[in-house]
Amino acid sequence: MPASGTSQTPQIPPGEPPEREWHVVARGDRDGGAPTTDLRRLVVAGVAAVAVVLLVVTIGTASVSRFLAERDAIANGTQTADLLAAAAIEPRLTPTLLAGASTALDELDEVVDTRLGALGVIRLKIFTADGTVVYSDERRLVGQRFDLGAVERAVLDHGVTRAAVTTPEGRENEFEAFRGRLLEIRRPVHATTGQRLLLEVYGDYAQIEPRAAGLWRTFVALEVVGMLALLLLLAPVLWWLVRRLAEAQRRREEALRASVVASDAERRRLAGTLHDGPVQELTAASLTVAAAADSMRAAGQEQRAATVDEAGVLVRRGIASLRTLLVELYPPELRGADLDDVVDDLVEPLRSRGIAATAWVEPGVGARLGSEQVPLVHRVARECLRNAATHSQAAHVSVRIARAPGHDDRVVVEIADDGKGFDVRETMRYPREGHVGLAVLADTCRRAGARLEVASAPGSGTVWRLTLTPEAGR
């Protein structure tokens, strides 16, 4: 059998493979399996979910808090307007004030001025039905006439109260020093003569901000406390579920290992049966046929001897095929075996199937591997090559073993094919029933302290990469 470096098939040059998205199958840290990683991912996912929920709650409660604060401020402003109207304004809406007498206006100014600041009112106006200002704490507006809007007309006509957050506009606000949003309450008031007038009270919107902030802090505190309480209640249940999942995965891995052991035992049994039965019988038949051909040739029966020789060739070919099958079923003892021979034994069955199989082993790299690592290379490469031959529909397969670039203390084994590839994430997350090769490889490499990665995608072939630290196997 030709050495890997001198094979008749094209050699694989050393060097870095093309850029790929690698997925870790086994981390090479003897971490004991996936449950720890799954638990870590679960914790990270839980923390991320809590953070997202808190962010959504924070944003949502900010809007709700402002809305509730405005509603509360409107209710308070309405009560303030009612208080002003009943206690301070309506008793002083006399015919003298409606006529614009200065003494009546000064008397109402004195009463209003003492109450505006205490009640959070920054402007007050009283209109008649035709829009004339009969009183305002801004004296320059008194006596001016303005067109009343639909809201003002509804208040006067139907005797209802209207309150809203508005931005003051129009000529009646030309003397206002304040800008921005205000709390505006419009309500009817009655003069001592029974005449219905319109009272407009403007409250400072700034008072809403601390109320909204207080409500927001209350809501957020309640949400956080509630969420933490829920997490504390769910933590034992989640922990129990995680332990159950870890135990289920451990049992599954044990079942996989048991299936591998049973498979190896069955392979040994089949290999022994073939070796001791058909192979021996065919070998004896080959010797008998050769002897018969020699006898016929000695008797001058050249034509018959040639026919028997052809039969002997076919028997020997059958023996060679059976011996190749025996190596596939149960390889010989590999500890101390030459790495070139091991690789050639692996790729030869693919060549017999018509697959262009190439191999390249960096000179001297085999001596860097420990006695336990050559069997590991054989097992991983055999499984990967078997998958390539069985499932990938590949036309070309290559095996490359060399030192890792930039890491003289590491050896990298790469098995690549140009087949149909597969979705690695989907396969690792949801393995198909009965397809245990990936899990077996992961468990084997993990226990040996080797790192195994795979790069593949539908339609782009597959590359397996096994990374070994030689000291770990010596």
Side-chain angles (χ1 to χ4, degrees):
M1 187 174 291
S4 299
T6 58
S7 173
Q8 298 302 314
T9 55
Q11 294 186 16
I12 304 173
E16 274 292 311
E19 192 66 28
R20 299 176 180 271
E21 182 183 4
W22 291 97
H23 302 269
V24 178
V25 178
R27 298 189 179 280
D29 51 6
R30 302 179 189 268
D31 54 11
T36 302
T37 303
D38 292 341
L39 177 59
R40 189 178 299 115
R41 290 179 179 175
L42 183 61
V43 171
V44 171
V47 172
V50 170
V52 171
V53 171
L54 285 177
L55 179 62
V56 172
V57 167
T58 301
I59 296 174
T61 53
S63 300
V64 173
S65 300
R66 182 171 295 278
F67 171 77
L68 293 178
E70 287 185 358
R71 299 287 295 180
D72 184 55
I74 288 173
N76 290 338
T78 302
Q79 292 178 357
T80 299
D82 292 342
L83 179 63
L84 278 172
I89 296 175
E90 287 186 330
R92 293 173 175 80
L93 294 179
T94 62
T96 305
L97 183 137
L98 297 180
S102 296
T103 55
L105 292 174
D106 291 340
E107 181 183 352
L108 187 54
D109 274 342
E110 183 178 351
V111 174
V112 169
D113 287 345
T114 59
R115 304 195 181 199
L116 289 184
L119 296 175
V121 177
I122 59 177
R123 180 67 72 237
L124 186 147
K125 304 172 187 174
I126 301 176
F127 297 84
T128 62
D130 64 355
T132 301
V133 179
V134 295
Y135 176 78
S136 174
D137 60 312
E138 171 54 62
R139 185 64 68 86
R140 287 175 291 182
L141 293 175
V142 176
Q144 296 193 40
R145 184 177 179 277
F146 304 97
D147 293 331
L148 299 181
V151 175
E152 289 84 355
R153 299 276 7 141
V155 172
L156 284 171
D157 294 342
H158 304 292
V160 295
T161 300
R162 293 284 187 267
V165 175
T166 62
T167 300
E169 297 175 350
R171 267 191 325 113
E172 68 270 21
N173 296 302
E174 62 180 316
F175 300 116
E176 310 298 359
F178 48 80
R179 291 291 182 267
R181 308 180 77 189
L182 292 173
L183 183 62
E184 185 174 2
I185 296 96
R186 301 179 179 92
R187 60 152 292 160
V189 291
H190 296 84
T192 56
T193 60
Q195 180 182 355
R196 180 178 289 176
L197 304 174
L198 172 66
L199 172 65
E200 285 190 358
V201 176
Y202 292 90
D204 188 2
Y205 187 81
Q207 64 180 325
I208 295 178
E209 298 294 342
R211 292 181 184 176
L215 288 172
W216 177 79
R217 285 192 294 268
T218 301
F219 284 143
V220 170
L222 290 174
E223 291 287 346
V224 171
V225 170
M227 191 168 300
L228 291 177
L230 180 61
L231 287 176
L232 289 175
L233 291 174
L234 290 179
V237 178
L238 293 176
W239 179 255
W240 179 78
L241 288 176
V242 169
R243 299 300 298 174
R244 288 291 300 273
L245 288 174
E247 179 65 18
Q249 184 160 349
R250 185 187 64 79
R251 291 180 179 178
R252 181 173 178 272
E253 291 181 352
E254 289 179 355
L256 290 176
R257 286 191 290 272
S259 68
V260 171
V261 172
S263 176
D264 287 344
E266 184 64 14
R267 287 173 181 273
R268 285 196 300 270
R269 188 187 68 81
L270 290 175
T273 302
L274 287 175
H275 182 271
D276 297 337
V279 172
Q280 299 300 327
E281 293 171 358
L282 286 175
T283 301
S286 175
L287 295 174
T288 302
V289 169
D294 291 341
S295 298
M296 292 177 184
R297 194 172 289 107
Q301 300 174 349
E302 291 294 337
Q303 186 173 357
R304 290 186 177 183
T307 302
V308 173
D309 281 337
E310 291 179 3
V313 170
L314 294 176
V315 171
R316 286 190 292 276
R317 286 180 181 175
I319 294 173
S321 298
L322 284 175
R323 293 188 183 279
T324 299
L325 179 60
L326 286 175
V327 172
E328 283 193 69
L329 284 173
Y330 189 64
E333 177 63 40
L334 294 171
R335 290 179 177 82
D338 184 83
L339 192 57
D340 291 355
D341 294 336
V342 171
V343 173
D344 275 327
D345 285 341
L346 288 169
V347 300
E348 189 60 36
L350 276 74
R351 294 168 181 162
S352 65
R353 297 186 184 188
I355 299 174
T358 57
W360 187 86
V361 178
E362 181 180 348
V365 75
R368 304 175 65 85
L369 298 179
S371 60
E372 298 293 333
Q373 290 183 314
V374 174
L376 176 64
V377 170
H378 181 276
R379 185 167 189 174
V380 173
R382 182 185 66 183
E383 186 66 30
C384 295
L385 291 172
R386 182 180 297 145
N387 287 337
T390 306
H391 304 295
S392 72
Q393 302 175 6
H396 298 84
V397 178
S398 64
V399 179
R400 176 180 179 274
I401 305 178
R403 288 177 295 178
H407 297 276
D408 288 341
D409 62 333
R410 298 179 185 176
V411 174
V412 174
V413 181
E414 288 184 353
I415 303 98
D417 67 66
D418 61 355
K420 62 183 182 180
F422 64 97
D423 188 329
V424 180
R425 296 183 188 274
E426 188 73 12
T427 302
M428 293 179 68
R429 187 175 301 175
Y430 307 108
R432 293 169 57 190
E433 189 68 26
H435 291 257
V436 299
L438 187 60
V440 171
L441 282 180
D443 184 64
T444 300
C445 294
R446 187 182 303 117
R447 290 178 174 276
R451 183 180 181 88
L452 181 64
E453 301 166 281
V454 60
S456 185
S460 67
T462 301
V463 180
W464 294 89
R465 184 165 68 187
L466 174 67
T467 304
L468 300 160
T469 302
E471 288 79 4
R474 292 187 180 279

